Amino acid sequence: MIRQYELVERVKAYDPSADEDMLNRAYVFSMKAHGSQTRASGDPYFLHPLEVAGILTQMKLDTATIVTALLHDTVEDTVATQEDIERVFGKEIGRLVDGVTKLSRLEMNSEQSKQAENFRKLVLAMSEDIRVLLVKLADRLHNMRTLHFIGKPEKRKRIARETIEIYAPLAERIGMHRIKDELEDLAFTELNGEARESILAQLARLRSEGEGRVETIIKELTDTLSKDGVPDAQITGREKTPYSIWRKLHNKNVSFEQLSDIMAFRVIVETVGECYQALGVIHSHYPVVMGRFKDYISTPKPNGYRSIHTGVIGPGRNRIEVQIRTRDMHEVCELGVAAHWAYKQGMPREGAREYRWLSEILDILEHAQKPEEFLEHTKLELFQDQVFCFTPKGDLIALPRGATPVDFAYAVHSQVGDHCVGAKINGRMLPLRTELQNGDQVEIITSKAQTPVPGWERFVVTGKARARIRRFLRTQQRAQYMELGRAILQRQFRQEGYDFSEKALDGVIKIFQQPTSDDLMAAVGSGLLSGREVFLAVFPGHKPHAQQQALTPGEAMDRAASTLPKPPKPKPRGKEQPLPIRGLIPGMAVHYARCCHPLPGDRIVGIVTTGKGVTIHTIDCETLESFHESPERWIDVAWDVGPDSPEEHVGRVALVVANEPGSLGTLSTVIGKNGGNITNLKITNRNTDFFELMIDIEVKDAKHLTNIVAALRAMPVINSVERSRGR
């Protein structure tokens, strides 16, 4: 445990003007407030805020931040109040403690409330004062160091997952790479301990095989730089963390041995000029690895990180990465925003605005009228390398930049991705190739009849989506092509007067360079080969009858269409048909509600309407809520229609159709072939890519409409289709 005088000495060592009295008062106040409380480890609870303060002293933070760390749990976990903090330590400390307290309460409620709202609050608290986030990161770091004391495995995994998805990226975003690396490693230990141990074992093997190699490389680089005019360069070796290695193995789909930057060498010099001089020396002595040069000095990262990265075939023909930076740059790299935060010099808070992303968030916060507007405008500007989107329920989905709704669908669940037919982004139907932006709310529309489309592979960016699509191409699609090819060959053989046999294909598979007869049928089904080509290969001496002519593509389509079953023609309406609804008095006027378009097969209810008779609604119609206070107007009714009923009913569907020639023709053809009759069509919205339509269709019942909807969903030009309940 850090003693009181030790904590004060740590702060005074880097900030002689620190308020020693306030530090002492905060130490005593926190120790008394927490009293005999203990943590899951059995240690006194006061040890936790003390360790958090100790972590922040390593970042050389100001007195107010250290005091906040000591007090950050007092309001939440002790009898101390917010008023007590402000009275004893002032408004600034009170505001900081209140910010950290709100974030702690936020975590406790995270399972019950929406992640989107939680994340917004996190960004807001951070925007008000970055020191709130610094304390919270140190708090999370110590909690992760003691995570193994928590008994419930599911709780440990939840905390670890939250750390790796939220807090580690936040630490990286403000440049605190040392904190980020440790948070990731601790979370990785909990979430995938076996993978971490495997990587550590391989690192140990590399170190044993190359014993002395690092020292040799450092010595040669030092001598080379010294001889060519950079004598004071300090060179160190840095090994990648297990988590960063694991992530790169997955992202690049390479083996451990193929990674070239497991060991990076840092060259630290005094000035920016010496950085470029050192770069010139290294490039003049060692071959450069193409594509591995990045200049973050001339173009810093958004979090303020500055350094030159280059890959070379270095000493001993070892492929290495070299990072060149000044001492000031190195401090910023290690401590990020804490390295030169304005509070330490007593400068105004505007010093934070050199971080563009933070200044933009602060500016938006000042002008946004409500939280939703804040979220909309910021679009979670915080993360540049990832896209954070939300499900309609508010669950957070993290994706790589450039991801599309198809990537989102597969991130939600593999089955959702497989059956994805459309996507609403922020309430608007958009193409599946649309690139998602930070903050987008994405609703995936699915259909059981849908399967992955080969074209998706051209625009998805996640490995999971690409793997599922390729798997489908190898299995389901091949099976479909094989069945179609078999049908084509059967028809071709039958037309020529022969019985089809798969054994007949075994003798010609080599001619078409196919491994098996199944592959040959799949090639026919996919259009790579024609049925006639295969037939003539099986019967090379066959001559068609005189009356048999080669069919044109149009004739072939007509012949194929003639083999399709014809939809039943609607029977003519009788002049006097009995009411198709049971429970009504004969002669009573009946109307079908246009708010829900009830169809036979739907559960229905009758509502007596003055001057109109009875209006039939579906049982789940939203309009029925307005009749809850009038139970006397409700009539228990049911459909009384048989399979041969001549009466047609109107169902309504909402569609999104590709804006391309022939789309409407395809739409009407599909509806007609399935026995439906379009009675009304309305374009509700249009853009360069899509038309949104509302169509009324005469059908026999709900099942008939469902069949039409399923047939429409199978058409490539139709992006989405749903039964509509609205007017």
Side-chain angles (χ1 to χ4, degrees), residues 673-686:
K673 282 187 175 182
N674 285 273
N677 181 39
I678 298 175
T679 60
N680 189 31
L681 184 149
K682 181 182 179 181
I683 298 176
T684 57
N685 189 23
R686 70 178 70 191

Side-chain angles (χ1 to χ4, degrees), residues 230 269-280 297 308 326 329:
V230 191
V269 294
E270 293 298 327
T271 66
V272 173
E274 288 182 342
C275 288
Y276 288 100
Q277 186 178 355
L279 175 68
I297 292 181
I308 296 173
T326 66
M329 292 174 190

Side-chain angles (χ1 to χ4, degrees), residues 581-584 603-606 614 616-617 635-639:
I581 297 174
R582 293 195 303 269
L584 297 178
R603 292 180 59 200
I604 56 174
V605 66
V614 177
I616 305 300
H617 295 263
I635 299 178
D636 186 17
V637 295
W639 292 104

Side-chain angles (χ1 to χ4, degrees), residues 407-694:
D407 296 297
F408 182 93
Y410 278 108
V412 172
H413 195 279
S414 297
Q415 292 299 318
V416 175
D418 286 346
H419 300 303
C420 170
V421 294
K424 286 185 178 179
I425 303 175
N426 301 321
R428 184 165 175 252
M429 186 66 68
L430 290 172
L432 290 175
R433 62 171 56 251
T434 302
E435 188 172 320
L436 297 176
Q437 303 297 320
N438 272 325
D440 281 346
Q441 184 186 72
V442 184
E443 178 184 355
I444 300 299
I445 300 168
T446 61
S447 168
K448 291 183 179 179
Q450 175 70 3
T451 53
V453 177
W456 289 356
E457 193 177 356
R458 291 196 295 269
F459 56 77
V460 296
V461 298
T462 58
K464 181 178 181 180
R466 186 169 286 111
R468 290 287 301 191
I469 295 166
R470 287 176 178 173
R471 187 178 306 149
F472 167 77
L473 294 177
R474 290 193 304 266
T475 56
Q476 288 179 289
Q477 192 178 59
R478 182 178 181 276
Q480 292 173 2
Y481 283 156
M482 194 171 67
E483 289 301 316
L484 180 58
R486 180 183 286 108
I488 292 172
L489 290 171
Q490 286 173 342
R491 187 170 64 244
Q492 183 68 49
F493 276 54
R494 188 167 57 250
Q495 287 174 357
E496 301 295 345
Y498 292 86
D499 290 330
F500 172 75
S501 171
E502 291 186 18
K503 289 184 178 179
L505 303 181
D506 293 338
V508 298
I509 56 176
K510 292 183 178 179
I511 297 175
F512 298 101
Q513 298 180 344
Q514 298 294 331
T516 65
S517 59
D518 286 347
D519 293 298
L520 180 59
M521 289 187 288
V524 173
S526 64
L528 297 176
L529 297 171
S530 71
R532 185 158 186 81
E533 283 180 280
V534 176
F535 173 81
L536 292 177
V538 176
F539 300 101
H542 173 76
K543 295 181 180 180
H545 299 298
Q547 68 271 22
Q548 289 182 328
Q549 303 292 330
L551 297 177
T552 66
E555 291 171 336
M557 290 182 65
D558 290 340
R559 177 174 292 185
S562 67
T563 64
L564 295 174
K566 298 292 191 297
K569 294 182 179 179
K571 297 181 181 179
R573 297 173 182 267
K575 291 186 178 179
E576 293 186 6
Q577 294 290 342
L579 283 175
I581 297 174
R582 293 195 303 269
L584 297 178
I585 301 172
M588 181 177 288
V590 177
H591 301 275
Y592 298 111
R594 295 183 60 80
C595 50
C596 54
H597 297 276
L599 296 173
D602 295 330
R603 292 180 59 200
I604 56 174
V605 66
I607 300 294
V608 177
T609 307
T610 303
K612 291 186 177 181
V614 177
T615 304
I616 305 300
H617 295 263
T618 60
I619 198 68
D620 57 352
C621 179
E622 295 180 358
T623 306
L624 295 178
E625 294 181 7
S626 60
F627 299 105
H628 280 175
E629 304 299 325
S630 308
E632 70 280 359
R633 299 175 61 180
W634 292 58
I635 299 178
D636 186 17
V637 295
W639 292 104
D640 187 17
V641 294
D644 297 325
S645 174
E647 182 164 352
E648 300 284 346
H649 299 265
V650 175
R652 176 168 289 182
V653 293
L655 305 96
V656 177
V657 183
N659 184 5
E660 59 184 54
S663 294
L664 290 179
T666 300
L667 169 67
S668 59
T669 300
V670 171
I671 293 174
K673 282 187 175 182
N674 285 273
N677 181 39
I678 298 175
T679 60
N680 189 31
L681 184 149
K682 181 182 179 181
I683 298 176
T684 57
N685 189 23
R686 70 178 70 191
N687 58 41
T688 56
D689 297 315
F690 292 94
F691 278 8
E692 294 182 18
L693 309 175
M694 196 74 73

Side-chain angles (χ1 to χ4, degrees), residues 137-206:
L137 287 174
D139 173 55
R140 176 52 63 109
L141 179 57
H142 184 253
N143 283 334
M144 288 301 296
R145 288 174 177 174
T146 57
L147 183 66
H148 57 282
F149 289 113
I150 296 177
K152 295 181 179 179
E154 62 274 11
K155 185 176 180 181
R156 293 200 305 270
K157 289 191 180 300
R158 177 183 62 80
I159 294 172
R161 192 171 294 108
E162 186 179 62
T163 299
I164 213 163
E165 291 178 355
I166 299 296
Y167 288 97
L170 277 171
E172 182 178 28
R173 196 64 189 85
I174 59 175
M176 303 178 71
H177 290 85
R178 185 188 301 171
I179 301 294
K180 187 265 298 187
D181 287 344
E182 187 173 354
L183 286 174
E184 286 181 340
D185 191 56
L186 291 168
F188 188 39
T189 302
E190 179 62 39
L191 295 174
N192 200 340
E194 291 183 1
R196 180 177 181 273
E197 290 301 320
S198 174
I199 292 172
L200 287 175
Q202 294 189 70
L203 287 173
R205 176 178 56 81
L206 284 181

Side-chain angles (χ1 to χ4, degrees), residues 42 314 377 483 699:
H377 289 308
E483 289 301 316
V699 292

